[in-house]
């Protein structure tokens, strides 16, 4: 029997299910690694971007601007042109995001008016197309601005759109959505849109496109505009990416490149409404003290978090693969060629994830109360003693000192009722006197703990029993 145990010990089967559950059991490690690596990656990128953005332009002494241009080779000059192009794009996007009414609307509480129109007439379908083209082409925007709506045409056109019509008679209907920064403003703009469409209807009738334009419904609502939210986020993210790229390019520039860049930057500067403030900013840029806002790179944090989780998964797998502790209850019979008398798991205040893992692992098995588990264990021990014709057992194990005293008391009391005498001992492979006691009793049951008891210690105990003709009745496995 001892030789069989040695041979089986060399081949420990890895159960895929238990490996997958191990990742869930050790979820805290995965979360911890994700947080640590996410913070490290984010901090490293932030430090790099901050350093790049705050490198002052070095002073170039005794060199004219013309000399600075002349000293640049083709690659250096192209890098400057790229930086200038990025700066122009950043300024353009920033100006648009600051001045566009649409980009400053709260997309999660957007004030809008929905105007539903229908057309009556012989050529209703063609006339509907005329209205749609009138709106989409921007002609209506020019007419509205003449009526005193003080919004630039480019920004006003974003606030008026024709929605896809899903009515049964869609070819004779069209729907207009009007947006603005607040409920009052959107109401006024919707009035202006309706007035211009009424005026446009009169013009079409004068041109022999006889019809009647009906305003079937007008609804003022507050909606969540997911498309607008995505557009706003995309603009903000693109601007941030371009700022980071510009900061990285400038960090690699030499003195002449920076001087040429600052000279070119003046020509592409985009003016806004506050000319005094813009002038100060431009002067700061030329003097080399440009203030660049550096923000935390969320993508880098996500990359770090994913990398941390991946490293944690690899670590958990290797730890599981190289573990020297008993993993599953099935290993009791497959490795040690002995009977599993039962498993015991005491209910504790575990984390919900740990409870979920336990349910997955024991899916399809009825849950027994702690007292029921102990009673099943007592019955199995009694049957094992009856089959081996013994009325005394020596209870040993490599972790016996950590076993719950209540469990030992319940076992002793339950077996005593069945006339089985229980002797509690210690690890027989470390205590010569305990080995003698076990030999005197003649029958041993081991108590071991899953993921705590070492393969080598269990094997050493069993080999001592085999060598001294002590019969092993089986093993009790503690699950927590």
């Amino acid at each position: 029997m001892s030789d069989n145990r040695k041979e089986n010990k060399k081949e420990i089967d890895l159960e895929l299910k238990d490996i997958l559950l191990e990742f869930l059991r050790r979820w805290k490690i995965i979360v911890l690694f994700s947080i640590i690596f996410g913070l490290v990656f984010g901090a490293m990128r932030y430090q790099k971007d901050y350093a790049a953005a705050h490198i002052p332009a070095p002073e170039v002494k005794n060199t004219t601007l013309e000399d600075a241009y002349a000293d640049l080779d083709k690659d250096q000059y192209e890098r400057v042109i790229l930086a200038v192009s990025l700066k122009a794009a950043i300024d353009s996007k920033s100006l648009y995001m600051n001045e566009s009414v649409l980009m400053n609307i709260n997309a999660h509480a957007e004030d809008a008016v929905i105007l539903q129109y229908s057309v009556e007439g012989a050529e209703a379908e063609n006339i509907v197309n005329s209205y749609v083209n009138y709106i989409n082409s921007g002609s209506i925007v020019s007419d509205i601005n003449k009526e005193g709506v003080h919004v630039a045409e480019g920004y006003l056109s974003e606030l008026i759109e024709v929605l896809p019509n899903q009515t049964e008679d869609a070819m004779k209907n069209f729907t207009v959505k009007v947006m603005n920064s607040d409920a009052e403003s959107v109401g006024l703009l919707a009035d202006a849109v309706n007035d211009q469409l009424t005026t446009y209807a009169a013009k079409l009738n004068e041109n022999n496109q006889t019809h009647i334009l009906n305003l079937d419904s007008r609804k003022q609502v507050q909606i969540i505009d997911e498309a607008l939210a995505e557009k706003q986020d995309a603009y903000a993210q693109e601007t941030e990416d371009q700022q980071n790229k510009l900061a990285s390019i400038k960090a690699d520039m030499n003195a002449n490149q920076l001087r040429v860049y600052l000279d070119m930057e003046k020509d592409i500067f985009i003016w806004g409404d506050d000319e005094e403030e813009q002038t100060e900013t431009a002067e700061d840029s030329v003097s080399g003290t440009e203030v660049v806002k550096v923000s935390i790179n969320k993508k880098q944090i996500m990359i770090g978090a994913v990398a941390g989780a991946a490293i944690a998964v690899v670590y958990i797998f290797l730890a599981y693969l190289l573990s020297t502790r008993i993993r599953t209850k099935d290993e009791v019979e497959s490795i040690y060629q002995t009977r599993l008398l039962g498993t015991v798991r005491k209910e504790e205040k575990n984390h919900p994830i740990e409870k979920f893992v336990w349910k997955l692992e024991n899916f399809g098995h009825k849950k027994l109360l702690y007292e029921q588990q102990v009673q099943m264990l007592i019955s199995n021990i009694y049957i094992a003693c009856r089959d081996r014709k013994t009325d005394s057992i020596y209870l040993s194990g490599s972790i016996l000192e950590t076993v719950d005293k209540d469990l030992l008391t319940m076992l002793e009391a339950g077996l005593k009722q069945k006339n089985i005498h229980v002797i509690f001992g210690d690890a027989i492979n470390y205590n010569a006197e305990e080995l003698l006691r076990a030999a005197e009793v003649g029958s041993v049951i081991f108590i071991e703990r899953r993921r705590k008891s070492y393969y080598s210690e269990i094997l050493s105990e069993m080999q001592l029993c085999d060598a001294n003709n002590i019969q092993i009745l089986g093993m009790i496995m503690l699950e927590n």
Side-chain angles (χ1 to χ4, degrees):
M1 182 66 73
S2 177
D3 293 337
N4 290 336
R5 292 197 181 103
K6 286 181 181 179
E7 185 64 27
N8 288 322
K9 179 65 183 68
K10 296 177 183 178
E11 299 180 4
I12 300 175
D13 294 332
L14 298 181
E15 295 185 11
L16 178 60
K17 176 184 176 181
D18 195 56
I19 294 175
L20 296 177
L21 291 175
E22 184 71 7
F23 295 136
L24 290 177
R25 291 190 198 102
R26 308 186 72 175
W27 62 273
K28 292 181 181 178
I29 294 178
I30 297 176
V31 172
L32 180 62
F33 273 54
S34 295
I35 293 174
I36 292 175
F37 278 79
L39 292 176
V40 169
F41 275 50
M44 290 175 62
R45 181 58 181 268
Y46 182 85
Q47 185 180 23
K48 179 180 178 181
D49 292 342
Y50 184 88
H54 291 79
I55 294 178
E59 295 182 4
V60 182
K61 298 181 179 179
N62 302 323
T63 303
T64 65
L65 184 60
E66 290 75 12
D67 291 336
Y69 272 93
D71 287 341
L72 300 183
D73 59 29
K74 181 180 178 181
D75 291 339
Q76 290 174 335
Y77 187 76
E78 288 178 351
R79 296 286 287 177
V80 173
I81 295 299
L82 176 59
V84 172
S85 300
L86 281 172
K87 186 63 169 65
I90 292 169
D91 287 345
S92 178
K93 282 187 175 63
S94 298
L95 181 64
Y96 170 65
M97 293 180 68
N98 288 333
E99 297 191 357
S100 169
V101 177
L102 182 69
M103 297 302 286
N104 288 280
I105 290 176
N106 182 359
H108 300 286
E110 177 184 283
D111 290 299
V113 173
I114 308 299
L115 303 172
Q116 176 71 50
Y117 292 94
S118 63
V119 174
E120 296 180 22
E123 300 293 331
E125 295 180 5
N126 292 332
I127 294 173
V128 166
N129 289 332
S130 296
Y131 281 108
V132 172
N133 292 333
Y134 175 61
I135 297 171
N136 289 339
S137 65
S139 299
I140 190 173
V141 173
S142 301
D143 294 335
I144 289 175
N145 267 319
K146 294 175 184 177
E147 298 298 322
V149 177
H150 301 295
V151 179
E153 285 189 21
Y155 301 139
L156 182 57
S157 62
E158 297 177 322
L159 304 178
I160 306 168
E161 64 175 307
V162 179
L163 298 178
N165 207 326
Q166 300 178 353
T167 62
E168 294 181 359
D169 198 6
M171 301 303 293
K172 297 181 181 181
N173 297 273
F174 66 96
T175 304
V176 181
K177 177 185 175 184
V178 182
M179 300 163 282
N180 214 326
S181 56
D182 55 67
E184 181 180 357
S185 299
V186 76
L188 294 174
L189 182 56
D191 291 338
V193 170
N194 186 58
D195 291 344
Q196 291 306 320
L197 290 177
T198 303
T199 302
Y200 187 66
K203 291 180 181 180
L204 292 178
N205 282 317
E206 290 175 2
N207 293 328
N208 298 321
Q209 291 181 287
T210 305
H211 71 288
I212 299 174
L213 177 67
N214 298 315
L215 176 59
D216 295 333
S217 67
R218 171 187 172 131
K219 296 179 181 178
Q220 185 156 345
V221 295
Q222 192 173 75
I223 60 175
I224 298 175
D225 193 335
E226 295 183 358
L228 176 57
E230 291 178 2
K231 182 178 180 180
Q232 291 172 340
D233 292 342
Y235 259 83
Q237 185 61 54
E238 187 176 355
T239 302
E240 181 182 341
D241 292 343
Q242 289 179 332
Q243 288 175 335
N244 292 334
K245 186 175 181 181
L246 175 60
S248 178
I249 292 174
K250 289 175 65 178
D252 294 333
M253 286 184 177
N254 59 33
N256 287 330
Q257 283 178 298
L258 286 171
R259 190 171 184 184
V260 171
Y261 165 76
L262 294 173
D263 180 62
M264 289 184 175
E265 184 187 19
K266 292 184 292 182
D267 297 330
I268 55 93
F269 192 79
I270 299 176
W271 296 93
D273 295 331
D274 191 347
E275 294 188 4
E276 182 178 352
E277 181 180 351
Q278 298 281 13
T279 302
E280 292 176 358
T281 305
E283 290 174 352
D284 288 342
S285 296
V286 174
S287 64
T289 59
E290 179 183 8
V291 178
V292 180
K293 181 181 178 181
V294 180
S295 57
I296 297 174
N297 193 306
K298 296 179 181 177
K299 288 184 178 178
Q300 199 69 13
I301 292 177
M302 289 300 298
I303 292 173
V306 172
I311 293 173
V313 168
V314 173
Y315 165 77
I316 292 171
F317 177 75
L318 291 177
Y320 183 90
L321 188 66
L322 301 175
S323 174
T324 57
R325 299 177 181 182
I326 190 165
R327 300 186 184 94
T328 66
K329 58 187 179 182
D330 294 335
E331 292 177 337
V332 174
E333 295 182 358
S334 63
I335 297 175
Y336 302 111
Q337 302 294 298
T338 193
R339 179 184 176 185
L340 178 64
L341 296 171
T343 60
V344 180
R345 181 177 187 269
K346 191 172 185 179
E347 286 293 336
E348 297 177 348
K349 295 181 180 180
N350 295 328
H351 192 278
I353 293 181
E354 295 173 357
K355 293 181 179 178
F356 175 70
V357 173
W358 172 254
K359 290 180 180 179
L360 283 179
E361 189 172 8
N362 293 274
F363 181 76
H365 297 278
K366 183 178 179 180
K367 181 180 178 181
L368 297 178
L369 298 176
Y370 183 66
E371 291 75 12
Q372 292 175 315
Q373 297 175 50
V374 175
Q375 289 302 318
M376 287 295 296
L377 185 58
I378 291 171
S379 296
N380 283 331
I381 294 174
Y382 171 73
I383 294 171
C385 290
R386 186 192 62 187
D387 293 343
R388 298 294 183 90
K389 295 181 174 53
T390 181
D391 58 1
S392 297
I393 58 171
Y394 181 85
L395 208 58
S396 181
S398 59
I399 47 85
L400 193 62
E401 69 278 1
T402 68
V403 178
D404 185 15
K405 301 302 180 183
D406 291 339
L407 173 60
L408 298 179
T409 301
M410 292 172 68
L411 284 176
E412 183 179 23
L415 291 170
K416 185 177 182 180
Q417 291 180 358
K418 298 183 180 297
N419 298 317
I420 303 295
H421 181 54
V422 180
I423 299 173
F424 297 102
D426 199 354
I428 59 176
N429 54 338
Y430 294 118
N431 193 317
E433 293 183 0
E434 294 300 326
L435 177 60
L436 290 174
R437 291 179 64 196
E440 290 176 359
V441 175
S443 300
V444 172
I445 292 178
F446 294 103
I447 297 183
E448 301 296 343
R449 192 183 300 276
R450 185 179 176 189
R451 292 186 292 276
K452 295 294 182 181
S453 298
Y454 289 93
Y455 289 114
S456 58
E457 290 188 340
I458 299 173
L459 182 63
S460 176
E461 290 176 331
M462 291 188 169
Q463 287 175 337
L464 278 174
C465 289
D466 291 337
N468 293 281
N469 296 319
I470 304 172
Q471 62 177 346
I472 302 172
L473 300 184
M475 183 184 296
I476 300 169
M477 179 71 72
L478 304 182
E479 292 285 353
N480 56 1

